[in-house]
Amino acid sequence: LRMDSLLQRFEFVRVLDSNPQTKVVSLLGHIDSQHAIVTLEKTHFNTDDARCSCADAVQETREIAANDIYHWAVALLKQDIQTNPAAKVNVIWPATPVHVRKYSQQALHLVRESPQLYERVVAPWVKEQATPERLRWVHDILYNGAEQERVVYRDFTGAEHGNGNGKNDGFLVLPDMKWDGVSLDALYLVALVYRDDVRSLRDLRPQHREWLIALNNRIRAVVPACYNYALHADELRIFVHYPPSYYHFHIHVVNIRHPGLGDGIAAGRAVLLEDVIESLGYLGELGFMNRTLTYVMGENHELWSRGLQDAVAQQLEKDGIPKRPPVLNRES
Ligand code: M7G
C-alpha cells in the first residue's frame, strides 16, 4: 500500500507518545484491523540554500503580543512538498507488539549490564530477536534491492580484512528512516554491513578493530563527497547504539549539529565509533563481551520484565543505595 492509502485507512486508537521538543507525535491505530503506528515529525527549516530566507516562507501571522522592542506571533508558512515539506510521516504496518512498546512513552531506568547479566538474560533474548522476519528490512536492502535508488555508497573493499568465515565484509550507506532527506542540518544516514556475524557492540572483539578503522575512514571519506562537501568529515557524529533495536551490526552517521531524536544520541544509548575502536585496543581478547555496559532502558522493553528489573533492584541494594522512601512511592 502507498502512504496516502495507508493514512486514509488509518483508524486512530490512542496517542503513544508526544514530545514537544522534537515535535514528534506517535499514534497507535488500525489499518485493515492490524496494528499501525503513525509517527509525525514537524520538519526543520531548510537553511541550506543561502538565497532563501526562511522568513520569506511566512505567509500569514496573528500577533500574540508586543512589548517595547519585542514582538511575537503565530504564523502560517508557505510549504512545498519537494523543497519545504511541513512534516515527515512514518508508518509501521503491520506493527508488532515490539514496535508498539518501543514507540510508547515509558519510564526509563539506568541498567548496568555485566557480562554475566548479558549471558543470563540478554543473550537468549537477542537470539530470539535476530530473526529473519525482524531483520527483513536489512536483508532486503543488502540483497533484494530495497531502497536501492537511495543507497549513496556501496563498498566491498572491506573484504580484504576477512572475517574468518568467508562472508563479505563490505557495507553500504543510505539515508536513515529518521531523515526527511531535505535538511542537511538533520542529515541522518545509516551504514549497514554485509557480514552477519556481528549482532551488536557486544560481539566486537580486537580482531574487528582493523575492519572498524577502515569502515570509519571510508564513511568519513565518502559521506562529505556524497553531499557536495556541505559538511566535513569532522562534522559527522558516527556512533552505534547499545542496545540497538535491530541486531545486525550498523552504524549511525549524523550531522554533528543534529541533537538527535529522543534519546538516540544521549549518553546511555550512543557510543562513538572512535571510542569503540579505542576500547578494542585495551579490552583483551573477549573485547566488549568482557565489559560492563551501562545504558538507558525503557520499562516497556521486554528485557526489563525478563530480568533487568530484578537485576537493577539487586545492583542498587548491593551498592548500598537507600530504597525510595514509601512516601515518595509513585503508587502512594
Ligand atoms: P538501532 O540503533 O537498531 O535502532 O538503529 P533505533 O531505531 O532505536 O535507533 C536502526 C536504525 O535503522 C535506526 O536509525 C532506524 O531509523 C533505521 N531504520 C530502521 N528501519 C526499519 C529502516 C528502514 O527500513 N530503512 C532505512 N533506511 N532505515 C531504517
Side-chain angles (χ1 to χ4, degrees):
L1 288 183
R2 317 271 317 163
M3 179 62 88
D4 285 348
S5 150
L6 287 170
L7 291 175
Q8 271 161 19
R9 292 171 188 219
F10 181 73
E11 293 164 44
F12 171 75
V13 174
R14 68 187 154 93
V15 175
L16 292 176
D17 199 5
S18 137
N19 184 330
Q21 197 193 359
T22 55
K23 311 257 189 304
V24 176
V25 62
S26 291
L27 313 171
L28 178 68
H30 294 121
I31 297 174
D32 296 350
S33 35
Q34 284 179 298
H35 275 142
I37 298 170
V38 172
T39 303
L40 291 164
E41 179 195 352
K42 293 222 176 149
T43 48
H44 181 48
F45 293 93
N46 188 357
T47 52
D48 303 333
D49 183 352
R51 288 161 304 170
C52 123
S53 149
C54 292
D56 291 343
V58 175
Q59 191 174 307
E60 190 186 328
T61 61
R62 183 176 59 76
E63 188 168 291
I64 300 171
N67 183 350
D68 186 34
I69 57 171
Y70 308 97
H71 312 263
W72 57 107
V74 287
L76 266 188
L77 300 179
K78 275 181 240 150
Q79 321 255 218
D80 150 24
I81 197 77
Q82 292 299 342
T83 57
N84 187 18
K88 178 167 156 292
V89 190
N90 281 26
V91 177
I92 302 179
W93 179 76
T96 66
V98 176
H99 291 112
V100 177
R101 284 198 295 269
K102 174 178 164 179
Y103 285 88
S104 301
Q105 194 169 47
Q106 53 195 300
L108 303 174
H109 299 273
L110 198 70
V111 176
R112 209 162 62 212
E113 184 188 289
S114 63
Q116 297 75 25
L117 186 56
Y118 177 76
E119 275 310 318
R120 186 169 59 78
V121 174
V122 181
W125 180 83
V126 169
K127 224 168 166 184
E128 287 170 31
Q129 276 303 297
T131 58
E133 199 180 334
R134 173 100 178 125
L135 294 174
R136 191 157 58 215
W137 69 275
V138 176
H139 198 268
D140 283 353
I141 291 172
L142 293 177
Y143 302 106
N144 296 337
E147 300 185 51
Q148 279 321 282
E149 67 295 344
R150 294 160 51 74
V151 170
V152 292
Y153 184 72
R154 195 187 299 268
D155 189 310
F156 295 113
T157 56
E160 72 215 29
H161 294 287
N163 62 9
N165 61 11
K167 287 243 173 71
N168 198 327
D169 259 7
F171 73 101
L172 54 75
V173 180
L174 80 166
D176 192 285
M177 197 168 76
K178 290 185 181 122
W179 188 36
D180 62 22
V182 178
S183 166
L184 276 181
D185 273 355
L187 177 88
Y188 202 127
L189 307 172
V190 61
L192 301 175
V193 304
Y194 276 90
R195 66 192 296 164
D196 60 7
D197 60 339
V198 179
R199 282 164 303 187
S200 75
L201 179 67
R202 265 284 175 220
D203 287 336
L204 293 172
R205 304 267 195 289
Q207 65 260 34
H208 297 121
R209 198 162 172 265
E210 288 305 313
W211 169 64
L212 291 173
I213 290 172
L215 211 54
N216 187 27
N217 287 342
R218 289 309 293 156
I219 290 172
R220 290 181 305 152
V222 302
V223 170
C226 292
Y227 293 93
N228 239 340
Y229 297 97
L231 74 183
H232 200 61
D234 61 353
E235 293 168 331
L236 296 171
R237 203 187 298 254
I238 305 173
F239 59 92
V240 298
H241 274 160
Y242 194 81
S245 296
Y246 301 96
Y247 285 87
H248 177 108
F249 191 67
H250 57 273
I251 297 169
H252 301 250
V253 182
V254 184
N255 187 334
I256 204 152
R257 294 163 53 86
H258 189 0
L261 290 171
D263 64 353
I265 295 184
R269 185 88 209 279
V271 186
L272 288 174
L273 182 60
E274 293 281 359
D275 286 340
V276 172
I277 291 169
E278 176 71 9
S279 300
L280 287 173
Y282 303 97
L283 282 175
E285 63 179 295
L286 290 179
F288 278 89
M289 207 51 96
N290 219 7
R291 237 199 75 171
T292 292
L293 294 165
T294 300
Y295 53 79
V296 175
M297 163 121 304
E299 275 185 6
N300 286 350
H301 200 290
E302 222 187 327
L303 280 172
W304 181 248
S305 47
R306 271 179 62 162
L308 294 188
Q309 179 173 19
D310 292 343
V312 167
Q314 283 166 18
Q315 284 166 8
L316 290 172
E317 192 164 345
K318 193 160 156 255
D319 293 347
I321 310 296
K323 286 209 170 80
R324 196 202 303 257
V327 69
L328 291 179
N329 260 340
R330 261 178 248 163
E331 295 82 48
S332 55

PDB file of all heavy atoms in Angstrom, residues 70-97:
ATOM      1  N   TYR A  70      10.013  43.984  21.585  1.00  0.00           N
ATOM      2  CA  TYR A  70       9.731  42.555  21.426  1.00  0.00           C
ATOM      3  C   TYR A  70       8.349  42.340  20.807  1.00  0.00           C
ATOM      4  O   TYR A  70       7.375  42.958  21.238  1.00  0.00           O
ATOM      5  CB  TYR A  70       9.822  41.849  22.778  1.00  0.00           C
ATOM      6  CG  TYR A  70      11.133  42.144  23.475  1.00  0.00           C
ATOM      7  CD1 TYR A  70      11.222  43.143  24.446  1.00  0.00           C
ATOM      8  CD2 TYR A  70      12.293  41.469  23.112  1.00  0.00           C
ATOM      9  CE1 TYR A  70      12.435  43.435  25.046  1.00  0.00           C
ATOM     10  CE2 TYR A  70      13.503  41.762  23.714  1.00  0.00           C
ATOM     11  CZ  TYR A  70      13.574  42.748  24.675  1.00  0.00           C
ATOM     12  OH  TYR A  70      14.767  43.047  25.261  1.00  0.00           O
ATOM     13  N   HIS A  71       8.309  41.457  19.812  1.00  0.00           N
ATOM     14  CA  HIS A  71       7.066  41.171  19.093  1.00  0.00           C
ATOM     15  C   HIS A  71       6.961  39.679  18.909  1.00  0.00           C
ATOM     16  O   HIS A  71       7.931  39.054  18.507  1.00  0.00           O
ATOM     17  CB  HIS A  71       7.089  41.839  17.705  1.00  0.00           C
ATOM     18  CG  HIS A  71       7.508  43.265  17.752  1.00  0.00           C
ATOM     19  ND1 HIS A  71       6.613  44.301  17.761  1.00  0.00           N
ATOM     20  CD2 HIS A  71       8.745  43.824  17.824  1.00  0.00           C
ATOM     21  CE1 HIS A  71       7.271  45.456  17.833  1.00  0.00           C
ATOM     22  NE2 HIS A  71       8.572  45.178  17.877  1.00  0.00           N
ATOM     23  N   TRP A  72       5.815  39.094  19.199  1.00  0.00           N
ATOM     24  CA  TRP A  72       5.677  37.660  18.907  1.00  0.00           C
ATOM     25  C   TRP A  72       4.275  37.326  18.377  1.00  0.00           C
ATOM     26  O   TRP A  72       3.306  37.989  18.710  1.00  0.00           O
ATOM     27  CB  TRP A  72       6.110  36.766  20.050  1.00  0.00           C
ATOM     28  CG  TRP A  72       5.488  36.904  21.403  1.00  0.00           C
ATOM     29  CD1 TRP A  72       4.616  36.042  21.964  1.00  0.00           C
ATOM     30  CD2 TRP A  72       5.751  37.915  22.389  1.00  0.00           C
ATOM     31  NE1 TRP A  72       4.303  36.451  23.235  1.00  0.00           N
ATOM     32  CE2 TRP A  72       4.987  37.597  23.520  1.00  0.00           C
ATOM     33  CE3 TRP A  72       6.555  39.067  22.438  1.00  0.00           C
ATOM     34  CZ2 TRP A  72       4.978  38.372  24.674  1.00  0.00           C
ATOM     35  CZ3 TRP A  72       6.547  39.840  23.580  1.00  0.00           C
ATOM     36  CH2 TRP A  72       5.773  39.481  24.676  1.00  0.00           C
ATOM     37  N   ALA A  73       4.289  36.305  17.518  1.00  0.00           N
ATOM     38  CA  ALA A  73       3.071  35.966  16.781  1.00  0.00           C
ATOM     39  C   ALA A  73       3.094  34.489  16.409  1.00  0.00           C
ATOM     40  O   ALA A  73       4.137  33.847  16.480  1.00  0.00           O
ATOM     41  CB  ALA A  73       2.989  36.795  15.500  1.00  0.00           C
ATOM     42  N   VAL A  74       1.963  33.977  16.032  1.00  0.00           N
ATOM     43  CA  VAL A  74       1.949  32.657  15.403  1.00  0.00           C
ATOM     44  C   VAL A  74       1.909  32.873  13.895  1.00  0.00           C
ATOM     45  O   VAL A  74       1.488  33.938  13.434  1.00  0.00           O
ATOM     46  CB  VAL A  74       0.753  31.790  15.857  1.00  0.00           C
ATOM     47  CG1 VAL A  74       0.942  31.314  17.272  1.00  0.00           C
ATOM     48  CG2 VAL A  74      -0.559  32.535  15.690  1.00  0.00           C
ATOM     49  N   ALA A  75       2.355  31.881  13.128  1.00  0.00           N
ATOM     50  CA  ALA A  75       2.476  32.084  11.683  1.00  0.00           C
ATOM     51  C   ALA A  75       2.049  30.858  10.899  1.00  0.00           C
ATOM     52  O   ALA A  75       2.145  29.728  11.386  1.00  0.00           O
ATOM     53  CB  ALA A  75       3.920  32.425  11.339  1.00  0.00           C
ATOM     54  N   LEU A  76       1.594  31.129   9.703  1.00  0.00           N
ATOM     55  CA  LEU A  76       1.382  30.065   8.719  1.00  0.00           C
ATOM     56  C   LEU A  76       2.536  30.143   7.741  1.00  0.00           C
ATOM     57  O   LEU A  76       2.916  31.240   7.319  1.00  0.00           O
ATOM     58  CB  LEU A  76       0.089  30.307   7.935  1.00  0.00           C
ATOM     59  CG  LEU A  76      -1.190  29.652   8.388  1.00  0.00           C
ATOM     60  CD1 LEU A  76      -2.275  29.894   7.345  1.00  0.00           C
ATOM     61  CD2 LEU A  76      -0.989  28.149   8.563  1.00  0.00           C
ATOM     62  N   LEU A  77       3.076  28.992   7.360  1.00  0.00           N
ATOM     63  CA  LEU A  77       4.209  29.001   6.431  1.00  0.00           C
ATOM     64  C   LEU A  77       3.779  28.515   5.061  1.00  0.00           C
ATOM     65  O   LEU A  77       2.918  27.635   4.955  1.00  0.00           O
ATOM     66  CB  LEU A  77       5.312  28.079   6.945  1.00  0.00           C
ATOM     67  CG  LEU A  77       5.902  28.405   8.307  1.00  0.00           C
ATOM     68  CD1 LEU A  77       6.957  27.374   8.673  1.00  0.00           C
ATOM     69  CD2 LEU A  77       6.534  29.801   8.295  1.00  0.00           C
ATOM     70  N   LYS A  78       4.402  29.062   4.039  1.00  0.00           N
ATOM     71  CA  LYS A  78       4.223  28.511   2.688  1.00  0.00           C
ATOM     72  C   LYS A  78       4.973  27.187   2.671  1.00  0.00           C
ATOM     73  O   LYS A  78       6.113  27.110   3.101  1.00  0.00           O
ATOM     74  CB  LYS A  78       4.890  29.431   1.645  1.00  0.00           C
ATOM     75  CG  LYS A  78       4.033  30.577   1.185  1.00  0.00           C
ATOM     76  CD  LYS A  78       4.801  31.390   0.152  1.00  0.00           C
ATOM     77  CE  LYS A  78       4.951  32.803   0.649  1.00  0.00           C
ATOM     78  NZ  LYS A  78       6.117  33.517   0.222  1.00  0.00           N
ATOM     79  N   GLN A  79       4.320  26.152   2.206  1.00  0.00           N
ATOM     80  CA  GLN A  79       5.026  24.881   2.154  1.00  0.00           C
ATOM     81  C   GLN A  79       5.032  24.360   0.729  1.00  0.00           C
ATOM     82  O   GLN A  79       4.221  24.779  -0.096  1.00  0.00           O
ATOM     83  CB  GLN A  79       4.368  23.841   3.065  1.00  0.00           C
ATOM     84  CG  GLN A  79       3.908  24.418   4.340  1.00  0.00           C
ATOM     85  CD  GLN A  79       4.788  24.078   5.529  1.00  0.00           C
ATOM     86  OE1 GLN A  79       4.244  23.875   6.549  1.00  0.00           O
ATOM     87  NE2 GLN A  79       6.087  24.035   5.452  1.00  0.00           N
ATOM     88  N   ASP A  80       5.941  23.451   0.507  1.00  0.00           N
ATOM     89  CA  ASP A  80       6.071  22.881  -0.827  1.00  0.00           C
ATOM     90  C   ASP A  80       6.619  21.473  -0.629  1.00  0.00           C
ATOM     91  O   ASP A  80       7.615  21.279   0.068  1.00  0.00           O
ATOM     92  CB  ASP A  80       6.989  23.830  -1.614  1.00  0.00           C
ATOM     93  CG  ASP A  80       7.797  23.140  -2.684  1.00  0.00           C
ATOM     94  OD1 ASP A  80       7.386  22.075  -3.153  1.00  0.00           O
ATOM     95  OD2 ASP A  80       8.864  23.688  -3.026  1.00  0.00           O
ATOM     96  N   ILE A  81       5.946  20.509  -1.214  1.00  0.00           N
ATOM     97  CA  ILE A  81       6.234  19.104  -0.896  1.00  0.00           C
ATOM     98  C   ILE A  81       7.666  18.701  -1.280  1.00  0.00           C
ATOM     99  O   ILE A  81       8.269  17.844  -0.643  1.00  0.00           O
ATOM    100  CB  ILE A  81       5.180  18.164  -1.545  1.00  0.00           C
ATOM    101  CG1 ILE A  81       5.191  16.778  -0.911  1.00  0.00           C
ATOM    102  CG2 ILE A  81       5.362  18.055  -3.049  1.00  0.00           C
ATOM    103  CD1 ILE A  81       4.532  16.698   0.405  1.00  0.00           C
ATOM    104  N   GLN A  82       8.245  19.356  -2.310  1.00  0.00           N
ATOM    105  CA  GLN A  82       9.596  18.991  -2.743  1.00  0.00           C
ATOM    106  C   GLN A  82      10.675  19.592  -1.850  1.00  0.00           C
ATOM    107  O   GLN A  82      11.558  18.894  -1.369  1.00  0.00           O
ATOM    108  CB  GLN A  82       9.859  19.486  -4.180  1.00  0.00           C
ATOM    109  CG  GLN A  82       9.040  18.788  -5.236  1.00  0.00           C
ATOM    110  CD  GLN A  82       9.309  17.291  -5.284  1.00  0.00           C
ATOM    111  OE1 GLN A  82      10.325  16.806  -4.779  1.00  0.00           O
ATOM    112  NE2 GLN A  82       8.395  16.549  -5.872  1.00  0.00           N
ATOM    113  N   THR A  83      10.602  20.910  -1.663  1.00  0.00           N
ATOM    114  CA  THR A  83      11.732  21.578  -1.010  1.00  0.00           C
ATOM    115  C   THR A  83      11.430  22.047   0.400  1.00  0.00           C
ATOM    116  O   THR A  83      12.338  22.369   1.156  1.00  0.00           O
ATOM    117  CB  THR A  83      12.171  22.802  -1.835  1.00  0.00           C
ATOM    118  OG1 THR A  83      11.020  23.651  -1.978  1.00  0.00           O
ATOM    119  CG2 THR A  83      12.678  22.402  -3.204  1.00  0.00           C
ATOM    120  N   ASN A  84      10.157  22.135   0.757  1.00  0.00           N
ATOM    121  CA  ASN A  84       9.830  22.682   2.066  1.00  0.00           C
ATOM    122  C   ASN A  84       8.586  22.010   2.646  1.00  0.00           C
ATOM    123  O   ASN A  84       7.556  22.650   2.854  1.00  0.00           O
ATOM    124  CB  ASN A  84       9.616  24.201   1.916  1.00  0.00           C
ATOM    125  CG  ASN A  84       9.452  24.869   3.252  1.00  0.00           C
ATOM    126  OD1 ASN A  84       9.808  24.314   4.290  1.00  0.00           O
ATOM    127  ND2 ASN A  84       8.869  26.056   3.244  1.00  0.00           N
ATOM    128  N   PRO A  85       8.678  20.699   2.906  1.00  0.00           N
ATOM    129  CA  PRO A  85       7.515  19.992   3.442  1.00  0.00           C
ATOM    130  C   PRO A  85       7.278  20.375   4.902  1.00  0.00           C
ATOM    131  O   PRO A  85       8.199  20.822   5.590  1.00  0.00           O
ATOM    132  CB  PRO A  85       7.905  18.522   3.315  1.00  0.00           C
ATOM    133  CG  PRO A  85       9.395  18.523   3.311  1.00  0.00           C
ATOM    134  CD  PRO A  85       9.858  19.835   2.764  1.00  0.00           C
ATOM    135  N   ALA A  86       6.030  20.227   5.355  1.00  0.00           N
ATOM    136  CA  ALA A  86       5.688  20.616   6.728  1.00  0.00           C
ATOM    137  C   ALA A  86       6.069  19.543   7.738  1.00  0.00           C
ATOM    138  O   ALA A  86       6.386  19.836   8.877  1.00  0.00           O
ATOM    139  CB  ALA A  86       4.185  20.889   6.819  1.00  0.00           C
ATOM    140  N   ALA A  87       6.025  18.307   7.315  1.00  0.00           N
ATOM    141  CA  ALA A  87       6.242  17.242   8.283  1.00  0.00           C
ATOM    142  C   ALA A  87       6.760  15.992   7.598  1.00  0.00           C
ATOM    143  O   ALA A  87       6.666  15.854   6.383  1.00  0.00           O
ATOM    144  CB  ALA A  87       4.933  16.920   9.009  1.00  0.00           C
ATOM    145  N   LYS A  88       7.321  15.122   8.409  1.00  0.00           N
ATOM    146  CA  LYS A  88       7.716  13.802   7.918  1.00  0.00           C
ATOM    147  C   LYS A  88       6.768  12.796   8.566  1.00  0.00           C
ATOM    148  O   LYS A  88       6.460  12.910   9.751  1.00  0.00           O
ATOM    149  CB  LYS A  88       9.158  13.535   8.324  1.00  0.00           C
ATOM    150  CG  LYS A  88       9.665  12.177   7.911  1.00  0.00           C
ATOM    151  CD  LYS A  88      11.176  12.151   8.075  1.00  0.00           C
ATOM    152  CE  LYS A  88      11.672  10.742   8.247  1.00  0.00           C
ATOM    153  NZ  LYS A  88      11.226  10.149   9.532  1.00  0.00           N
ATOM    154  N   VAL A  89       6.303  11.862   7.783  1.00  0.00           N
ATOM    155  CA  VAL A  89       5.361  10.865   8.282  1.00  0.00           C
ATOM    156  C   VAL A  89       5.996   9.490   8.167  1.00  0.00           C
ATOM    157  O   VAL A  89       6.509   9.135   7.103  1.00  0.00           O
ATOM    158  CB  VAL A  89       4.074  10.840   7.414  1.00  0.00           C
ATOM    159  CG1 VAL A  89       3.000   9.990   8.080  1.00  0.00           C
ATOM    160  CG2 VAL A  89       3.571  12.231   7.140  1.00  0.00           C
ATOM    161  N   ASN A  90       5.975   8.736   9.223  1.00  0.00           N
ATOM    162  CA  ASN A  90       6.414   7.331   9.163  1.00  0.00           C
ATOM    163  C   ASN A  90       5.226   6.452   9.522  1.00  0.00           C
ATOM    164  O   ASN A  90       4.510   6.764  10.481  1.00  0.00           O
ATOM    165  CB  ASN A  90       7.509   7.040  10.186  1.00  0.00           C
ATOM    166  CG  ASN A  90       8.872   7.520   9.747  1.00  0.00           C
ATOM    167  OD1 ASN A  90       8.974   8.456   8.959  1.00  0.00           O
ATOM    168  ND2 ASN A  90       9.906   6.895  10.260  1.00  0.00           N
ATOM    169  N   VAL A  91       5.049   5.384   8.786  1.00  0.00           N
ATOM    170  CA  VAL A  91       4.013   4.416   9.146  1.00  0.00           C
ATOM    171  C   VAL A  91       4.673   3.056   9.300  1.00  0.00           C
ATOM    172  O   VAL A  91       5.479   2.657   8.449  1.00  0.00           O
ATOM    173  CB  VAL A  91       2.919   4.335   8.048  1.00  0.00           C
ATOM    174  CG1 VAL A  91       1.890   3.265   8.396  1.00  0.00           C
ATOM    175  CG2 VAL A  91       2.225   5.683   7.878  1.00  0.00           C
ATOM    176  N   ILE A  92       4.373   2.393  10.393  1.00  0.00           N
ATOM    177  CA  ILE A  92       4.813   0.999  10.543  1.00  0.00           C
ATOM    178  C   ILE A  92       3.547   0.151  10.522  1.00  0.00           C
ATOM    179  O   ILE A  92       2.667   0.320  11.385  1.00  0.00           O
ATOM    180  CB  ILE A  92       5.571   0.771  11.856  1.00  0.00           C
ATOM    181  CG1 ILE A  92       6.788   1.701  11.933  1.00  0.00           C
ATOM    182  CG2 ILE A  92       6.024  -0.685  11.967  1.00  0.00           C
ATOM    183  CD1 ILE A  92       7.594   1.550  13.216  1.00  0.00           C
ATOM    184  N   TRP A  93       3.426  -0.704   9.541  1.00  0.00           N
ATOM    185  CA  TRP A  93       2.218  -1.522   9.389  1.00  0.00           C
ATOM    186  C   TRP A  93       2.537  -2.795   8.654  1.00  0.00           C
ATOM    187  O   TRP A  93       3.151  -2.714   7.579  1.00  0.00           O
ATOM    188  CB  TRP A  93       1.150  -0.739   8.617  1.00  0.00           C
ATOM    189  CG  TRP A  93      -0.091  -1.551   8.419  1.00  0.00           C
ATOM    190  CD1 TRP A  93      -1.045  -1.834   9.352  1.00  0.00           C
ATOM    191  CD2 TRP A  93      -0.512  -2.200   7.210  1.00  0.00           C
ATOM    192  NE1 TRP A  93      -2.027  -2.626   8.799  1.00  0.00           N
ATOM    193  CE2 TRP A  93      -1.729  -2.851   7.474  1.00  0.00           C
ATOM    194  CE3 TRP A  93       0.038  -2.289   5.924  1.00  0.00           C
ATOM    195  CZ2 TRP A  93      -2.409  -3.597   6.509  1.00  0.00           C
ATOM    196  CZ3 TRP A  93      -0.645  -3.033   4.966  1.00  0.00           C
ATOM    197  CH2 TRP A  93      -1.864  -3.674   5.260  1.00  0.00           C
ATOM    198  N   PRO A  94       2.167  -3.936   9.118  1.00  0.00           N
ATOM    199  CA  PRO A  94       1.553  -4.158  10.436  1.00  0.00           C
ATOM    200  C   PRO A  94       2.616  -4.023  11.529  1.00  0.00           C
ATOM    201  O   PRO A  94       3.725  -4.540  11.368  1.00  0.00           O
ATOM    202  CB  PRO A  94       1.062  -5.608  10.356  1.00  0.00           C
ATOM    203  CG  PRO A  94       1.401  -6.118   8.984  1.00  0.00           C
ATOM    204  CD  PRO A  94       2.317  -5.168   8.334  1.00  0.00           C
ATOM    205  N   ALA A  95       2.282  -3.332  12.603  1.00  0.00           N
ATOM    206  CA  ALA A  95       3.235  -3.119  13.696  1.00  0.00           C
ATOM    207  C   ALA A  95       3.155  -4.285  14.675  1.00  0.00           C
ATOM    208  O   ALA A  95       2.060  -4.741  15.001  1.00  0.00           O
ATOM    209  CB  ALA A  95       2.918  -1.812  14.405  1.00  0.00           C
ATOM    210  N   THR A  96       4.319  -4.765  15.101  1.00  0.00           N
ATOM    211  CA  THR A  96       4.354  -5.860  16.079  1.00  0.00           C
ATOM    212  C   THR A  96       4.255  -5.274  17.491  1.00  0.00           C
ATOM    213  O   THR A  96       4.452  -4.067  17.684  1.00  0.00           O
ATOM    214  CB  THR A  96       5.677  -6.641  15.969  1.00  0.00           C
ATOM    215  OG1 THR A  96       6.724  -5.746  16.377  1.00  0.00           O
ATOM    216  CG2 THR A  96       5.944  -7.126  14.550  1.00  0.00           C
ATOM    217  N   PRO A  97       3.978  -6.115  18.491  1.00  0.00           N
ATOM    218  CA  PRO A  97       3.961  -5.616  19.870  1.00  0.00           C
ATOM    219  C   PRO A  97       5.288  -4.961  20.252  1.00  0.00           C
ATOM    220  O   PRO A  97       5.322  -4.007  21.044  1.00  0.00           O
ATOM    221  CB  PRO A  97       3.710  -6.878  20.698  1.00  0.00           C
ATOM    222  CG  PRO A  97       3.016  -7.819  19.763  1.00  0.00           C
ATOM    223  CD  PRO A  97       3.568  -7.540  18.405  1.00  0.00           C
TER     224      PRO A  97
END
